[in-house]
Amino acid sequence: MEFAAFADRAATIEAESADTAITESVTDLLADAGDDLATLARFVQGRVFPAHESTTLDVGPRLCYEAIARAAGQNVSADDVEARLAETGEIGEVAASYDFGGQRGLAAFGGGGADALTVAEVERELTDLAAVAGDGSQETKVDVLFGLFNRCDPDEARYLARLVLSEMRIGVGDGTVRDAVAAAFDVPVDAVERALQVSNDYGYVAEVARDEGETGLDAIDLEVGRPVQAMLAQAGTVTGALEDWNEVAVEWKYDGARVQVHYDGEAARLFSRNMEDVTDPLPEVVATVEASLDAPAILDGEVVAVADDGAPLPFQEVLRRFRRKHDVAAAREDVTVRLHLFDCLHVDGEDLLDASLRERHDRLAALFDDDVVSDLWLSADADEIGDVEAEALDAGHEGIMLKDPEAAYTPGKRGKHWRKRKPDVETLDCVVTGAEWGEGRRANVLGTFELSVRTDDGYAQVGNVATGITDAELDAVTDRLEPHVTAEEGRSVAIAPEVVFEVGYEEIQTSTTYDSGYALRFPRFLAVREDKTPADADSLSRVERLAENA
Ligand SMILES: Nc1ncnc2c1ncn2[C@@H]1O[C@H](COP(=O)(O)OP(=O)(O)OP(=O)(O)O)[C@@H](O)[C@H]1O
């Protein structure tokens, strides 16, 4: 296909506003694509390379402006191009506004002709351009781009400029291409979706859909060395997770950077969340993996920067390691990293995407014999989950992940099967007005604390807290409260309002359980506010406001 024909189709697509019309136009484009199918399935999304490839054009805006300026003629400089961009705000518009050499050439041929750019040629030239490296590479890249722009008419220039800067913006998203592939080659959308998840390559999937149909799509498997998109999480709550699932798989949410490990039986390669190859900057992670594995595997996890005492450092520190291309040894001295693996997508020829998290985690745990694998707690108890969260926070991590233990691994999906518990937006300072002695090992310490807020004439209860308190804190809190016990009945004690607890919670609900008319959902102990007296504690009217504004 001539590049001019692609530009023409792109312009048509861009002019459409309805999603269905856009999908239909992309469907037609793919159906007519012939040998250019794979390339067009990428170009239409503004991609030159498959999503799983780390290859980039490595063409910054300035370099592109220079190439445009050179093609536009002697009197135009990169600064002029940039100035026009400041006016119009869109690089395609700017590129289309110049008279390039090619326009005159095309006019002479009456459009098209021997010198007409083809889609295949653009793809080839850009692939060669991406491979240019070393001294003088920037100059060579400008030369290649100049050569292309010089043969463009305004419409071609518009879409070439956008393609080069990954700013296609014609309203075609991942979902559009998925649906268009399904429609163009009469295969089920689900089969296309799965194949895309597994291969991360729209071009390849489009070709398989056309040439081998549904059977071919179903046969696409994960491949060691070809990264897949990471499964993502939504914000969620413990109460929500407990409502939705019988049991919740709880893990620490490590504060680091996502890493996907591909081990081919001999060597490991590592990929970042956006599928960049980060093998070289992380030799000790590679060594950890290679020391334990003896069969091919694809694993998912987080790399965390740690201080000398093992405590996690802010995640910016780990990014310093990810970005390091030179002098890795020195960077390694500066920032120590640890690998925490939490999922397993493939082991020794077997894809595990469709297996449950429960099974995938078991398979992962069987591959390593040290503490590389995340601890996973299965729980149906909010207090227990709260304790895991308290431990995670104590250990310096971000909080917890709540996962559906039965769910499959869905690459690239921000679904509801993985949830990250948001940090508390608000906390409440509550007065402790009662408590209960613990049981068994904890019989000598107070365990559950009655939380109240101030009212006009006293205090009203909003809940009980038993979660988030370490054993050491329980001892200290018991010593602090015991002198204020005013009455005792069974394990329950009444306590004079003296001590203020800061508590986190997920939600405030109206409730008839407590005399305040409200109940904190999933309250967690955060601290004793020694700096506050009950007079400084929160009031019922604040609770009312918080409940209303939720
Ligand atoms: N045990 C774990 N299981 C899954 N993801 C984890 C875990 N520990 C840390 N993480 C990190 O938490 C992220 C989950 O949140 P999300 O999928 O929304 O990613 P994100 O957009 O990078 O969000 P965030 O900025 O909150 O990390 C994962 O991408 C991963 O990097």
Side-chain angles (χ1 to χ4, degrees):
M1 181 181 284
E2 289 189 355
F3 192 67
F6 167 68
D8 197 39
R9 299 283 193 120
T12 310
I13 294 168
E14 190 175 1
E16 304 280 9
S17 54
D19 288 349
T20 47
I22 293 176
T23 308
E24 273 168 28
S25 297
V26 178
T27 304
D28 292 345
L29 174 69
L30 299 182
D32 299 343
D35 290 346
D36 296 317
L37 177 59
T39 307
L40 286 174
R42 295 178 194 130
F43 275 15
V44 80
Q45 293 181 75
R47 282 183 189 286
V48 179
F49 305 106
H52 64 76
E53 273 190 22
S54 304
T55 321
T56 60
L57 293 178
D58 196 18
V59 168
R62 187 71 195 176
L63 208 142
C64 184
Y65 307 156
E66 268 174 40
I68 292 174
R70 214 193 289 172
Q74 283 182 344
N75 300 329
V76 182
S77 69
D79 285 343
D80 297 332
V81 174
E82 203 165 350
R84 269 199 202 187
L85 181 63
E87 270 167 43
T88 61
E90 202 269 292
I91 191 64
E93 196 60 44
V94 174
S97 70
Y98 288 108
D99 246 2
F100 291 147
Q103 249 194 307
R104 288 188 295 278
L106 284 177
F109 283 108
D115 193 39
L117 268 179
T118 63
V119 166
E121 211 180 343
V122 171
E123 198 260 352
R124 223 172 20 249
E125 292 277 325
L126 292 180
T127 304
D128 290 348
L129 177 148
V132 178
D135 284 351
S137 61
Q138 299 295 300
E139 209 31 53
T140 313
K141 286 181 189 224
V142 176
D143 285 347
V144 174
L145 285 182
F146 159 70
L148 288 172
F149 278 118
N150 204 33
R151 292 166 60 193
C152 283
D153 73 9
D155 256 349
E156 290 172 286
R158 178 192 312 277
Y159 294 105
L160 178 64
R162 292 195 192 173
L163 185 61
V164 166
L165 293 183
S166 311
E167 293 175 10
M168 192 52 96
R169 299 197 190 136
I170 54 172
V172 175
D174 292 353
T176 322
V177 181
R178 176 200 61 207
D179 293 351
V181 167
F185 308 118
D186 198 19
V187 285
V189 175
D190 287 353
V192 178
E193 167 98 11
R194 197 206 71 93
L196 287 171
Q197 287 183 353
V198 171
S199 71
N200 222 344
D201 184 344
Y202 284 80
Y204 171 56
V205 168
E207 281 184 340
V208 172
R210 180 188 63 190
D211 302 339
E212 299 167 45
E214 188 178 354
T215 325
L217 291 176
D218 290 348
I220 296 181
D221 288 331
L222 291 175
E223 217 172 78
V224 175
R226 186 176 66 190
V228 290
Q229 286 181 35
M231 181 164 177
L232 299 174
Q234 291 181 350
T237 61
V238 175
T239 33
L242 287 170
E243 267 159 26
D244 290 350
W245 312 318
N246 289 335
E247 258 184 331
V248 180
V250 189
E251 286 175 328
W252 289 6
K253 185 173 190 296
Y254 305 103
D255 192 8
R258 192 83 175 253
V259 73
Q260 199 173 97
V261 176
H262 287 244
Y263 180 71
D264 66 6
E266 281 175 14
R269 283 177 70 193
L270 310 174
F271 297 95
S272 71
R273 157 107 176 251
N274 43 17
M275 283 171 283
E276 262 175 88
D277 192 321
V278 289
T279 313
D280 291 341
L282 298 168
E284 66 272 57
V285 175
V286 170
T288 305
V289 172
E290 290 179 354
S292 290
L293 295 184
D294 50 20
I298 303 177
L299 312 170
D300 192 3
E302 189 93 348
V303 170
V304 179
V306 290
D308 291 342
D309 64 356
L313 296 170
F315 93 111
Q316 287 81 357
E317 293 295 323
V318 79
L319 290 188
R320 280 177 46 203
R321 286 291 306 274
F322 268 54
R323 294 205 193 101
R324 191 73 169 226
K325 294 218 169 77
H326 310 290
D327 225 352
V328 171
R332 200 175 153 175
E333 298 255 300
D334 272 4
V335 185
T336 308
V337 295
R338 267 202 62 184
L339 173 67
H340 297 277
L341 291 168
F342 48 73
D343 218 314
C344 174
L345 283 56
H346 175 100
V347 187
D348 203 8
E350 195 184 342
D351 282 357
L352 296 170
L353 293 180
D354 293 330
S356 66
L357 168 64
R358 216 185 264 276
E359 183 185 342
R360 297 196 310 274
H361 199 272
D362 284 350
R363 297 290 295 267
L364 175 64
L367 298 175
F368 292 87
D369 52 15
D370 59 10
D371 53 1
V372 176
V373 175
S374 64
D375 282 321
L376 182 150
W377 290 265
L378 285 167
S379 175
D381 179 58
D383 289 347
E384 208 170 83
I385 297 174
D387 289 342
V388 175
E389 181 172 75
E391 277 169 31
L393 295 173
D394 272 358
H397 288 286
E398 273 191 305
I400 47 172
M401 297 291 299
L402 306 164
K403 300 180 179 178
D404 176 355
E406 306 310 328
Y409 190 100
T410 42
K413 284 271 145 61
R414 197 178 283 286
K416 58 182 183 336
H417 297 302
W418 282 17
R419 304 180 193 178
K420 49 184 176 183
R421 218 197 71 78
K422 269 200 285 186
D424 301 310
V425 186
E426 299 276 0
T427 60
L428 273 182
D429 293 329
C430 297
V431 180
V432 181
T433 49
E436 261 182 33
W437 292 106
E439 285 179 299
R441 190 171 62 82
R442 292 179 164 190
N444 293 330
V445 285
L446 293 169
T448 303
F449 305 90
E450 191 178 298
L451 301 171
S452 296
V453 291
R454 282 186 298 113
T455 62
D456 291 341
D457 52 2
Y459 296 93
Q461 192 180 352
V462 288
N464 292 306
V465 69
T467 300
I469 321 182
T470 62
D471 283 351
E473 282 169 339
L474 278 180
D475 288 341
V477 163
T478 303
D479 290 347
R480 181 77 178 76
L481 289 170
E482 220 177 339
H484 305 293
V485 170
T486 53
E488 199 151 351
E489 195 186 325
R491 284 171 44 222
S492 303
V493 297
I495 296 179
E498 290 286 343
V499 176
V500 178
F501 276 10
E502 181 177 7
V503 292
Y505 58 91
E506 283 188 342
E507 219 185 341
I508 302 177
Q509 288 189 325
T510 52
S511 158
T512 51
T513 311
Y514 305 117
D515 54 354
S516 64
Y518 292 93
L520 302 184
R521 295 200 84 188
F522 195 46
R524 285 171 316 288
F525 170 86
L526 297 175
V528 176
R529 293 299 304 257
E530 291 296 1
D531 57 330
K532 291 198 168 184
T533 66
D536 308 316
D538 278 310
S539 62
L540 183 55
S541 50
R542 172 146 196 265
V543 169
E544 280 164 0
R545 275 200 310 279
L546 288 169
E548 271 167 28
N549 295 335

